[in-house]
Amino acid sequence: MVLKEGQSARDIWVAIKNIFHSNKNSRAIQLENQLLNITVGDLSVALYFRKIKAIDQLKNLSSKVPTKNLVIYAINGLSPKYHHGGCIMRHHSLFLSLSDTHNITTLEE
């Protein structure tokens, strides 16, 4: 697909880069939507936060999601089972890190 007669290594590199980056914006939109709509469902807390971290590949697409937003998405996706912990996290005077959010939710579990 990328190899053509008379190409330099740079030409090949640019061709490969274009293949992998051609869908960068649509991939970033898709991942952002997944984060917006993520819910804990039947997952354990550990799997839920692992899923959030796996979806947060946007930084690799030059579209990093601020930690504040990740925490909001994580809290909003919790089920009523985690209502108490969610209230504490929403009304905490300092904004929590994703790790702190994970720890509080684990304690709720």
Side-chain angles (χ1 to χ4, degrees), residues 2 13-25 27 61:
V2 296
W13 172 252
V14 169
I16 290 170
K17 180 182 171 199
N18 289 338
I19 289 170
F20 286 98
H21 288 271
S22 65
N23 67 349
K24 188 169 144 177
N25 290 333
R27 181 72 177 137
L61 299 171

Side-chain angles (χ1 to χ4, degrees), residues 15 79 91:
S79 65
H91 300 293

Side-chain angles (χ1 to χ4, degrees), residues 31-47:
L31 290 171
E32 181 80 25
N33 282 333
Q34 285 179 11
L35 282 170
L36 281 167
N37 297 310
I38 194 164
T39 59
V40 71
D42 293 334
L43 297 174
S44 69
V45 169
L47 287 175

Side-chain angles (χ1 to χ4, degrees), residues 62-73:
S62 302
S63 185
K64 188 175 181 334
V65 176
T67 301
K68 177 181 175 182
N69 291 12
L70 284 176
V71 170
I72 291 168
Y73 299 153

